[in-house]
Amino acid sequence: MRYSYYPGCSLDATGKQYGESIHAVAKALGVELVELDDWNCCGATAYMNVNEVLSFCLSARNLALVGKAGNGKELVTACNACYTNLRKTEVYLNQFPEIREKVGQALAEANMKYEGGVVTKHFLQVLVEDVGLERIKANVKRPLTGLRVAPYYGCQIVRPYGIQDDPDNPMMMDRFLEALGATPTQYAMKVMCCGGSLMGTREEVALRLCRNLLLCAQEAKADCIAVACPLCQMNLDAYQVAINRNYGTNFSLPIVYFTQLAGLAFGLKSDELGMQRCIVPATQIAARYA
Amino acid sequence: MRGVQETVLYEEAMDLKFLDEVYGIPGGDKIKDCIQCGTCSGSCPVSWAMEESPRKIFAMIRAGMRDQVLDSLTIWTCASCYQCAERCPQEIKITDIMYMLKRMAIREDRRRSRKARALSECFVNVVNRYGRNRETELMARFALMTDPLGSVALAPVGMSLFSRGRLPLGGSKVRDIEGLRKIVAKAQELGGE
């Protein structure tokens, strides 16, 4: 299995342990991720506030690079925002000729052309749908027995441009966690927004959203929350101290990527998976299954 | 508690050009199909922090209340989570229309747009320079631009990320940055609205 891989900007920085665990897990499963040569930022939500056409151009340049690289037409990313921007761009280019025309003209300035047809997948989809849960199970060396995990999908991957799953009660990550031997907890907020970039512009709103999420997961007796997006991870992890201070709470819930849990179950080393990079300590979870 | 407000807006006070502006974005004309059912407001995770709910904003757009809409805190409370767009029975691209309102408010330098504008500008500056978002530089620029003293409060978050190797100094860059800049320049020229 070979895919073009779009890491996105966060996986070099705040989401470093996501990138590390993705590579470790892919290697263990024999999935080849070829980094898209010379990829650029997807524009996140910031560019949509500035110029819509420009935002589409950024993703279209990345999509154009996929065809050039000759690794097939499937592009894998693991950040919910990158995923949504890439998928949304594909939909808009198909649906609106005036957008296609403008984007085409802009790409031509750099002698680039996007012919269409790239399929962007989330890494979670690759593991569940392409690799398949049977093969995941076959790779489990240390089942995560007894680990209660709150699966947190975040917002954008289950929305209009997202994965084929129930938008209100997606089960893809739940089934994945089960395959690892963990117990996914039932809780009401698995697709509730974490606030995203509001943490920068309206902090009090984002803090409360994250507080509610943590509370809901804690009430479900989760040992940790599993995430699939670097912004969700940062908001819930790096701001947990601020949440406790603001609301007089006492949360100490590790926020781990689904790929880190997979790596542990596959018998990989804790530091290969960047477990030490979590701010709310996650190393005890690693130690439990080492 | 706020009392019931009664506002009657007569037709001659309406700025109907506003509606034309909304029609101008791809899929924007679907706003005609809004049945004011309130599914958007009921689904929105942050409607409690808004002044006007999304449903009300859409009624205000159609009533041509341009200034009130563009000055509303509502558009800056939207986190772009797409829950409203996912559930809208009329398939209105609510999130994208919110984005459009944000762009209009930023362009017109509306007071409440300034913080989000600062974040977007810092982001665009970093990406124009490297083709990628260097998060460390983005966070530093944004803190300095909006709240140089208050950024001390952010320091623990920054330090906790930094000490775990999650805020690197430097970072990677797009090789064909010149090509990317040409695309950006052309897109801005064509972007319009």
Side-chain angles (χ1 to χ4, degrees):
Chain A
M1 267 180 214
R2 189 180 164 100
Y3 301 91
S4 284
Y5 173 59
Y6 178 79
C9 305
S10 295
L11 271 62
D12 266 344
T14 55
K16 198 165 178 67
Q17 70 273 34
Y18 200 10
E20 290 167 337
S21 55
I22 287 166
H23 284 297
V25 164
K27 195 176 160 202
L29 292 168
V31 174
E32 200 182 342
L33 299 176
V34 185
E35 185 166 323
L36 187 63
D37 185 45
D38 214 31
W39 59 269
N40 58 269
C41 171
C42 78
T45 52
Y47 270 79
M48 273 293 173
N49 287 351
V50 178
N51 187 312
E52 190 176 45
V53 172
L54 174 53
S55 178
F56 290 130
C57 282
L58 291 177
S59 286
R61 181 179 179 276
N62 289 320
L63 293 170
L65 289 171
V66 178
K68 235 170 120 182
N71 291 310
K73 288 231 158 187
E74 290 185 318
L75 179 65
V76 175
T77 186
C79 166
N80 288 8
C82 298
Y83 175 81
T84 298
N85 279 339
L86 289 161
R87 302 263 302 191
K88 183 176 175 183
T89 299
E90 181 70 25
V91 169
Y92 267 70
L93 291 176
N94 283 327
Q95 207 176 337
F96 300 105
E98 69 272 26
I99 293 280
R100 190 165 60 234
E101 171 66 27
K102 286 177 181 174
V103 168
Q105 280 185 45
L107 288 186
E109 292 286 308
N111 300 317
M112 292 181 79
K113 195 173 180 188
Y114 176 52
E115 313 271 5
V118 170
V119 177
T120 304
K121 293 183 170 181
H122 195 284
F123 191 58
L124 176 63
Q125 269 178 302
V126 170
L127 296 188
V128 174
E129 292 174 351
D130 295 358
V131 174
L133 294 177
E134 286 313 309
R135 251 182 77 197
I136 298 289
K137 278 181 202 161
N139 276 273
V140 170
K141 297 196 177 72
R142 297 185 305 222
L144 306 179
T145 314
L147 188 69
R148 294 181 57 83
V149 185
Y152 179 50
Y153 293 74
C155 56
Q156 298 191 343
I157 54 165
V158 288
R159 302 292 202 262
Y161 309 103
I163 55 176
Q164 291 297 310
D165 204 336
D166 185 328
D168 293 308
N169 187 22
M171 290 302 288
M172 195 179 277
M173 202 197 303
D174 294 60
R175 290 189 288 125
F176 181 74
L177 294 169
E178 267 170 7
L180 302 177
T183 308
T185 65
Q186 298 302 311
Y187 75 122
M189 300 184 80
K190 56 161 72 161
V191 296
M192 189 66 93
C193 175
C194 75
S197 66
L198 287 182
M199 201 58 97
T201 53
R202 288 205 68 195
E203 192 187 73
E204 74 287 4
V205 178
L207 285 177
R208 181 167 284 279
L209 292 180
C210 288
R211 172 222 173 244
N212 292 348
L213 261 160
L214 291 167
L215 186 65
C216 201
Q218 192 179 59
E219 283 175 351
K221 298 191 169 49
D223 297 313
C224 61
I225 297 179
V227 293
C229 168
L231 195 52
C232 300
Q233 203 285 339
M234 184 173 74
N235 282 351
L236 290 165
D237 184 28
Y239 286 86
Q240 213 171 110
V241 172
I243 290 164
N244 283 335
R245 196 174 52 231
N246 258 32
Y247 301 105
T249 48
N250 199 17
F251 296 121
S252 181
L253 262 179
I255 313 297
V256 294
Y257 290 104
F258 69 97
T259 43
Q260 290 180 299
L261 293 177
L264 287 178
F266 294 167
L268 305 177
K269 288 199 191 76
S270 171
D271 54 353
E272 245 182 298
L273 304 167
M275 295 302 285
Q276 75 286 0
R277 296 191 196 278
C278 294
I279 290 166
V280 178
T283 40
Q284 79 278 16
I285 295 176
R288 213 164 124 186
Y289 297 97
Chain B
M1 211 174 100
R2 277 188 289 184
V4 176
Q5 291 176 7
E6 283 188 42
T7 307
V8 179
L9 189 68
Y10 293 100
E11 287 81 350
E12 53 270 32
M14 293 181 176
D15 179 358
L16 295 178
K17 279 188 299 219
F18 187 33
L19 203 50
D20 286 336
E21 290 176 272
V22 177
Y23 289 171
I25 64 162
D29 60 331
K30 290 278 278 182
I31 194 173
K32 283 186 276 200
D33 299 341
C34 175
I35 54 171
Q36 287 287 299
C37 68
T39 302
C40 47
S41 302
S43 304
C44 178
V46 286
S47 55
W48 54 272
M50 291 173 168
E51 283 171 343
E52 288 86 12
S53 67
R55 181 201 59 78
K56 192 167 177 187
I57 284 289
F58 278 74
M60 288 162 71
I61 293 171
R62 297 205 302 185
M65 297 166 76
R66 195 175 193 282
D67 282 336
Q68 293 92 325
V69 169
L70 295 183
D71 285 330
S72 170
L73 192 59
T74 298
I75 55 180
W76 304 113
T77 310
C78 169
S80 317
C81 83
Y82 292 90
Q83 183 69 287
C84 50
E86 174 64 44
R87 290 185 179 165
C88 175
Q90 300 294 81
E91 298 178 353
I92 299 166
K93 293 179 185 294
I94 302 174
T95 314
D96 297 303
I97 292 175
M98 285 288 183
Y99 271 132
M100 193 209 76
L101 299 173
K102 291 176 195 182
R103 291 196 292 276
M104 290 171 80
I106 284 177
R107 216 164 286 155
E108 294 172 20
D109 196 26
R110 304 262 169 176
R111 184 175 56 85
R112 282 168 155 175
S113 74
R114 287 183 193 147
K115 203 158 186 188
R117 177 189 180 151
L119 181 59
S120 285
E121 277 178 3
C122 292
F123 197 102
V124 169
N125 281 336
V126 173
V127 175
N128 275 345
R129 181 171 300 185
Y130 309 113
R132 294 180 185 169
N133 173 24
R134 294 187 178 180
E135 291 180 314
T136 314
E137 188 169 331
L138 172 70
M139 285 185 194
R141 277 174 182 247
F142 182 60
L144 286 172
M145 196 165 170
T146 53
D147 193 7
L149 294 173
S151 55
V152 175
L154 247 181
V157 172
M159 279 313 294
S160 62
L161 288 166
F162 180 75
S163 66
R164 285 162 184 81
R166 292 169 61 181
L167 279 184
L169 304 172
S172 58
K173 187 176 173 176
V174 166
R175 203 170 52 243
D176 184 22
I177 189 75
E178 288 311 317
L180 179 62
R181 285 181 189 144
K182 281 182 198 161
I183 294 173
V184 168
K186 189 70 180 175
Q188 275 168 331
E189 178 198 319
L190 296 170
E193 262 170 32

